[in-house]
Amino acid sequence: MSGYRRRVAEIERRLGRRRLVFFGTRGTDARPLLELAPFAEIFSQIAPLEAVSIRETCLELIKQERVDLDRYSIDLDGSQAVHELRKDLLRALGQPAAVLPYRPCAVLASACFTRANLVHYLGLFHELQACFEHKPWMELQLAAAGVRVVPWSYFADEDLVLIEEAAASGPLVLRTNRSDGGAGLTLIEHPAQLARSWPSHPEGFLAAAPFLAPNVPLNVNACVFPDGQVSLHPASLQLIGLASCTNRRFGYCGNDFAKAAELDRGVLDQLEEATVAAGRWLGRQGYLGAFGVDAILYQDQVYLVEVNPRFQGSSALAARLARELDRPDLFLDHIAAFLDLPRPAPMPLHEMTRRQSALAHVVCHHLGSQPLHCAPVDPDHLAVRCGLLPRPEVAVGSEAILFDALFRGKVTETGGELLPQAKEQVLDVTRQLYGSAIADDDPPRSLSSAGQSNREAP
């Protein structure tokens, strides 16, 4: 039996008669779970999977609107739609179930605690997981553990004059202490920008770092097991701040796994070392399961930017690549970790990256301020294969996802811009799906001081 199939069989035996329920951000992220016989139900915020055999509740279909995931919190949404989703979740957990969260949250916890006699929860308590999302605490702890991190400094709101002095010496990145997908990151090129570009934040201090330029943004998926061992999953160049795909200077726009195969072995070894060290530290703090690492390659050195204590936007495609290598994917590893199964046999990251298929995906967001509706276009007639398409009746809000385009072969050289053909295909798809409501293109943002694109993201 293959390594992948062996792990599927082990999990199915451990789950027994429990139904597997996925609670996630995007319903389509649950696609890797279709190989598991107990998989029965999905709860998601956007993009239903729409698999025939799976029951599904998707918040965007109840609300008929798609939100900006990097700003939205289901725990802060007191709408009737969330109340309806929670009632349906309680119904789903009224029989023996195992619940897999993409990311822990209070809404899910409220259902799992009240069905504790029936539910095996395959995730961290959301209040515990939240501490791993506090970026200053994480990077200080990881630096003390020997991980090379971006050199952030921390400033109280009252220290504006000190930040002005730092900005006077060169471009500066400001970051709030909790952020997702590039939201909460601001580029300051001149001290005069501070007053109008000060990020909104509640904690009384924020982080600042020199704008390291040029660099290449990297991403990798991994999983912590109960014994503290770490399994690695496919790595990619991260697509950051594409001017045709997001308004955010450091906004997440997808992953290029094909380009990652061109990285030097020494770079991948550094990325592996940082990821394993971060994962082992997480394990010592009581963390268990899937996580991700964002890093940059700057002057031949890999610097950890942040740890994502959850699944990531790259996880579903990374899972596909792992299965093609006959390895347990990240979703299987996460479930296995919570079922106290051992880590699979390791494979060096450089070998995995060399052998993985040449795929990339580009996530395009709504750049305008008015809601959009997707045209009822046959996906087979699009310029490239696309996922995450909203139904025509769903209104897509500003910075919400328009689509996710899948490519064979690389789409970038640096992570900060698309190759010309890939860019034109993304624009063609945008026009096909959203028509005259979308501008043909947006002028690329550049640094007045460096004239460089987003490959210099911190």
Side-chain angles (χ1 to χ4, degrees), residues 57-354:
T57 302
C58 184
L59 192 59
E60 78 172 11
L61 299 185
I62 302 173
K63 286 188 165 188
Q64 295 201 339
E65 64 180 52
R66 177 170 288 189
V67 298
D68 171 6
L69 294 174
D70 298 325
R71 292 292 190 190
Y72 174 79
S73 169
I74 193 171
D75 288 342
L76 300 179
D77 186 346
S79 68
Q80 180 62 28
V82 172
H83 179 64
E84 291 178 26
L85 180 143
R86 185 172 175 276
K87 284 201 306 183
D88 203 29
L89 181 60
L90 289 168
R91 183 268 315 153
L93 303 185
Q95 53 186 303
V99 179
L100 171 62
Y102 176 97
R103 179 185 206 159
C105 65
V107 168
L108 179 57
S110 69
C112 289
F113 275 114
T114 56
R115 300 290 188 269
N117 60 320
L118 296 169
V119 170
H120 188 163
Y121 175 58
L122 304 171
L124 290 185
F125 176 48
H126 67 286
E127 296 283 5
L128 173 59
Q129 188 265 354
C131 75
F132 298 108
E133 294 194 333
H134 193 273
K135 299 183 188 303
W137 179 69
M138 285 289 294
E139 56 216 12
L140 287 174
Q141 296 295 315
L142 290 171
V147 179
R148 184 188 298 112
V149 301
V150 167
W152 295 101
S153 299
Y154 308 104
F155 296 91
D157 291 353
E158 294 79 7
D159 291 336
L160 180 58
V161 65
L162 299 179
I163 301 179
E164 288 175 341
E165 291 174 0
S169 64
L172 197 68
V173 178
L174 298 185
R175 188 205 63 202
T176 57
N177 298 327
R178 296 179 186 272
S179 63
D180 283 315
L185 285 165
T186 304
L187 176 63
I188 302 297
E189 298 182 87
H190 189 277
Q193 292 178 254
L194 282 168
R196 66 176 183 272
S197 301
W198 193 259
S200 174
H201 62 287
E203 295 182 284
F205 78 103
L206 46 68
F211 189 44
L212 304 180
N215 74 50
V216 176
L218 307 173
N219 177 261
V220 66
N221 290 269
C223 183
V224 181
F225 281 77
D227 60 359
Q229 294 298 306
V230 178
S231 67
L232 296 169
H233 294 264
S236 63
L237 259 69
Q238 193 131 269
L239 304 177
I240 298 294
L242 304 180
S244 54
C245 295
T246 181
N247 289 315
R248 291 178 176 140
R249 185 61 180 78
F250 304 114
Y252 168 73
C253 299
N255 303 83
D256 192 329
F257 292 89
K259 179 62 182 177
E262 299 180 8
L263 293 171
D264 290 340
R265 173 173 175 171
V267 171
L268 292 167
D269 287 346
Q270 286 186 61
L271 183 58
E272 175 174 347
E273 181 180 359
T275 303
V276 170
R280 288 176 176 169
W281 178 86
L282 286 168
R284 292 194 295 272
Q285 313 311 310
Y287 190 91
L288 193 63
F291 73 99
V293 162
D294 291 334
I296 58 169
L297 175 62
Y298 173 67
Q299 295 184 348
D300 298 322
Q301 299 290 324
V302 171
Y303 292 79
L304 186 143
V305 176
E306 65 182 19
V307 171
N308 301 308
R310 51 177 169 79
F311 289 95
Q312 306 179 106
S314 60
S315 297
L317 188 51
R320 170 177 169 175
L321 299 178
R323 291 197 308 276
E324 290 178 358
L325 296 175
D326 191 26
R327 294 187 58 78
D329 62 45
L330 183 66
F331 293 82
L332 294 184
D333 270 5
H334 179 95
I335 295 171
F338 280 91
L339 295 178
D340 204 23
L341 291 168
R343 181 191 68 165
M347 176 184 288
L349 189 61
H350 68 84
E351 181 180 348
M352 190 183 308
T353 305
R354 177 180 58 82

